[in-house]
């Protein structure tokens, strides 16, 4: 084997490359992409107080070297999320995708089958891109009708089961189903207050933590 001579410039170059790439064989730090609606976009809240911002704090506390990209948009539907997702996947190359969509579909009375198809297509697209998926489920008030409410709330677990994705059964558990249902909501009675954001994160975190292992 021929001896290789290294000079000082070679060592500097190698050190810079190592700093950029990291230890040989080390896995890249997770990138968590959140694709949601106003519930994740801090609607009506002071910037940095929503549950996604609290998630970033939680990751630091848990010493998990992950970054979070919040691509949520107020008013978004599953159809809007489906159309936006391919570009987001190409741009951010996430390892994990959190899909928090569907509430606006119900508010607009959109057909449930279309919402389910959109969630399914989003889940598959993210998985094909190499990401683990967490679906964040919602429920609607009983005035929508018992059958509709059951089908809507079951839609998220149905899609998650079909594609072996993670699922949060009810994003607003402990917020919208308390003794005083409006206490933790803003004046519009749709968007949770700042005080509710930690509870919303508590509902998401256990399922997301499983996917981060």
């Amino acid at each position: 084997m021929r001896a290789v001579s290294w000079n000082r410039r070679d060592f500097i170059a190698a050190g810079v490359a190592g700093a950029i790439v990291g230890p040989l064989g080390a896995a890249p730090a997770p990138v968590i992409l959140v694709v949601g609606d106003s519930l994740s976009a801090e609607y009506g809240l002071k910037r940095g107080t929503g549950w996604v911002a609290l998630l970033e704090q939680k990751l630091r506390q848990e010493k998990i070297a992950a970054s979070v990209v919040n691509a949520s948009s107020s008013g978004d539907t599953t159809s809007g999320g489906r159309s936006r997702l391919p570009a987001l996947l190409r741009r951010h190359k996430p390892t994990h995708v959190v899909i928090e969509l569907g509430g606006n579909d119900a508010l607009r009375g959109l057909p449930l089958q279309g919402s389910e198809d959109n969630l399914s297509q989003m889940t598959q697209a993210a998985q094909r891109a190499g990401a683990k998926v967490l679906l964040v489920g919602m429920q609607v008030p009983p005035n929508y009708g018992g059958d509709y409410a059951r089908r809507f709330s079951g839609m998220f677990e149905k899609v998650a089961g079909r594609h072996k994705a993670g699922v949060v059964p009810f994003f607003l558990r402990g917020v919208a189903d308390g003794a005083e249902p409006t206490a933790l909501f803003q004046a519009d009675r749709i968007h949770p207050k700042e005080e509710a954001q930690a509870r919303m994160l508590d509902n998401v975190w256990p399922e997301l933590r499983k996917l981060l292992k």
Side-chain angles (χ1 to χ4, degrees), residues 54-207:
L54 298 182
L55 169 61
E56 295 181 271
Q57 296 177 24
K58 181 71 171 179
L59 291 165
R60 289 195 295 269
Q61 292 167 3
E62 297 285 331
K63 294 182 172 53
I64 298 174
S67 59
V68 179
V69 177
N70 191 355
S72 301
S73 177
S74 293
D76 207 3
T77 61
T78 58
S79 177
R82 178 179 176 179
S83 67
R84 293 193 299 122
L85 185 60
L88 292 170
L89 294 173
R90 288 193 299 270
R91 179 179 178 183
H92 300 291
K93 297 178 173 52
T95 56
H96 298 74
V97 175
V98 178
I99 301 173
E100 181 275 301
L101 290 169
N104 287 317
D105 294 46
L107 288 176
R108 298 179 187 186
L110 300 178
L112 283 179
Q113 187 58 56
S115 300
E116 182 180 323
D117 290 344
N118 290 332
L119 290 174
S120 185
Q121 290 297 321
M122 291 182 72
T123 299
Q124 290 179 290
Q127 290 175 334
R128 283 195 299 269
K132 296 180 180 179
V133 177
L134 178 64
L135 291 165
V136 179
M138 283 293 293
Q139 295 180 11
V140 293
N143 56 293
Y144 280 71
D147 180 63
Y148 183 92
R150 282 190 298 273
R151 289 170 56 216
F152 179 81
S153 62
M155 172 176 68
F156 302 93
E157 294 189 69
K158 183 178 178 182
V159 172
R162 181 186 302 147
H163 301 296
K164 296 180 172 56
V167 62
V168 176
F170 185 27
F171 188 28
L172 299 183
R173 181 171 58 87
V175 176
D177 55 1
E180 297 182 47
T182 62
L184 290 173
F185 284 85
Q186 299 175 40
D188 60 12
R189 298 190 177 188
I190 295 174
H191 299 95
K193 296 178 179 178
E194 182 179 332
E195 303 93 288
Q197 302 300 310
R199 179 62 190 177
M200 293 158 67
L201 174 59
D202 285 344
N203 292 334
V204 173
W205 177 247
E207 300 305 321

